[in-house]
Amino acid sequence: MKPHQAVLLSLLLLAGCTGPMYNSGGTASSGGAAYSISVAGGIIYTAGQYFDGSNWIPCVWTGMGRAALPGVPGSANSLTVSGGTIYAAGSYVNSLGNLIPCSWTGTNLASGPSATDSANAYGVSRYNSTTYAAGQYYNNVGWVGCYWTGTSATNLPGGSAVALSIFVDGSNVYTAGQYFNGTFWIARSWSGVGTTDLPGDGVHDAIATSVFETGSGANIYCSGYYSNGSIQIPCYWVNGTRTDLSGDGVHSAWATSIFVVGSTIYTAGYYWNGSIYVPCFWTGTARTDLPASLTIASVGAAAPGGKDPASVPNGRALRVHPNAPL
């Protein structure tokens, strides 16, 4: 596995917005969500968070085994596995209510600098000792989607836009996210600054949450979800062709990360079953639920989703993922 292939998707150092998607659901008092997926040595690894009745706990799953991570409340939004060690990245809320970007080596927590209100880095990749990040910045007019090579920003076309994920293969930089067309949000992938719109239902919001590439740009894979006007539908796209995934068939579901091994597509996410958020992954289109807290507690948490980023340019939100039930 190439090092940059493993460092996927959705490192969400969220400061200025909670994400542009709204969704239906209810109030979560239990459950969890998976935000990133990786495969190493035939083992499926996922990262996310679960609710223990009091707080949202960052965690990683090795197969079906769950390990809690320090930094509570928080979320593990991206992971990679190297030499048998799990490396994860995400954010947590400190005692002052500030959102702190962080990483974990195994279960050891390392905090990063406080996120700013003027720029958000959501996805990270590393290639040939260079760090690449995807996100957006505020230019006093609106949010501009971009990616950074080191500290040098490259703007992405689309007007009001956000890049949530980045994948680097040699000199090729792939990003995924969404842009606003003046009426609704459209899922988009970028190859460099070239654009590919990813279809939802054509009349409601859609978002691409992660991107994966299998070499020389032959196949570009994106995970995401779209609204059908009632609920969110999880999906993935291969070269712009959409395949829908299943939740419980009644409530909203979200696909947040994608990984490809050979011809097998793995997608991570979660769904609302009417009572709790259930973390899961899909192998192809077959869903496997991941263990989370199943005890319904009296303490609630807000449903995933939030305002579009342009509407809160200077406000600091406490959610650690655009779709997090934190």
Side-chain angles (χ1 to χ4, degrees):
M1 182 184 301
K2 300 176 184 177
H4 64 283
Q5 286 182 319
V7 184
L8 289 180
L9 322 173
S10 305
L11 167 61
L12 304 176
L13 312 183
L14 185 60
C17 64
T18 57
M21 297 296 288
Y22 289 88
N23 51 66
S24 58
T27 297
S29 55
S30 175
Y35 299 130
S36 183
I37 190 167
S38 185
V39 181
I43 298 172
I44 297 172
Y45 298 85
T46 43
Q49 60 182 171
Y50 70 94
F51 193 66
D52 70 351
S54 299
N55 283 302
W56 286 95
I57 312 298
C59 66
V60 294
W61 291 270
T62 302
M64 301 294 287
R66 189 186 70 211
L69 300 173
V72 177
S75 176
N77 302 315
S78 180
L79 87 164
T80 183
V81 181
S82 179
T85 300
I86 300 174
Y87 301 86
S91 300
Y92 69 95
V93 180
N94 70 9
S95 60
L96 299 177
N98 296 321
L99 187 72
I100 307 299
C102 64
S103 63
W104 296 268
T105 300
T107 57
N108 295 320
L109 172 68
S111 298
S114 298
T116 69
D117 284 329
S118 59
N120 303 319
Y122 297 114
V124 65
S125 183
R126 189 166 176 85
Y127 185 81
N128 283 348
S129 300
T130 300
T131 300
Y132 298 79
Q136 61 182 176
Y137 68 91
Y138 190 67
N139 64 1
N140 294 319
V141 177
W143 288 95
V144 179
C146 66
Y147 70 85
W148 291 270
T149 305
T151 58
S152 177
T154 298
N155 291 347
L156 297 171
S160 183
V162 57
L164 294 178
S165 177
I166 189 166
F167 190 99
V168 181
D169 186 0
S171 61
N172 300 312
V173 178
Y174 304 93
T175 50
Q178 63 179 173
Y179 74 97
F180 191 63
N181 71 354
T183 304
F184 56 90
W185 290 90
I186 297 176
R188 170 170 279 185
S189 66
W190 293 268
S191 298
V193 295
T195 64
T196 299
D197 288 354
L198 305 173
D201 72 352
V203 294
H204 298 100
D205 291 342
I207 184 171
T209 54
S210 73
V211 61
F212 191 96
E213 181 264 347
T214 54
S216 302
N219 292 299
I220 308 298
Y221 302 82
C222 294
S223 65
Y225 53 91
Y226 65 95
S227 172
N228 66 3
S230 299
I231 62 173
Q232 307 295 337
I233 309 297
C235 63
Y236 66 80
W237 295 269
V238 181
N239 298 328
T241 299
R242 193 188 77 229
T243 297
D244 289 350
L245 300 169
S246 63
D248 69 354
V250 178
H251 303 95
S252 289
W254 302 265
T256 56
S257 180
I258 195 164
F259 198 92
V260 181
V261 178
S263 60
T264 302
I265 300 171
Y266 298 90
T267 314
Y270 59 104
Y271 65 95
W272 174 254
N273 70 1
S275 299
I276 63 172
Y277 293 101
V278 181
C280 63
F281 66 86
W282 294 266
T283 304
T285 58
R287 193 187 76 237
T288 299
D289 292 349
L290 292 165
S293 170
L294 296 178
T295 302
I296 303 300
S298 59
V299 178
K307 296 180 180 180
D308 79 59
S311 68
V312 281
N314 299 306
R316 176 163 292 176
L318 300 184
R319 236 169 244 146
V320 294
H321 187 282
N323 318 308
L326 180 65

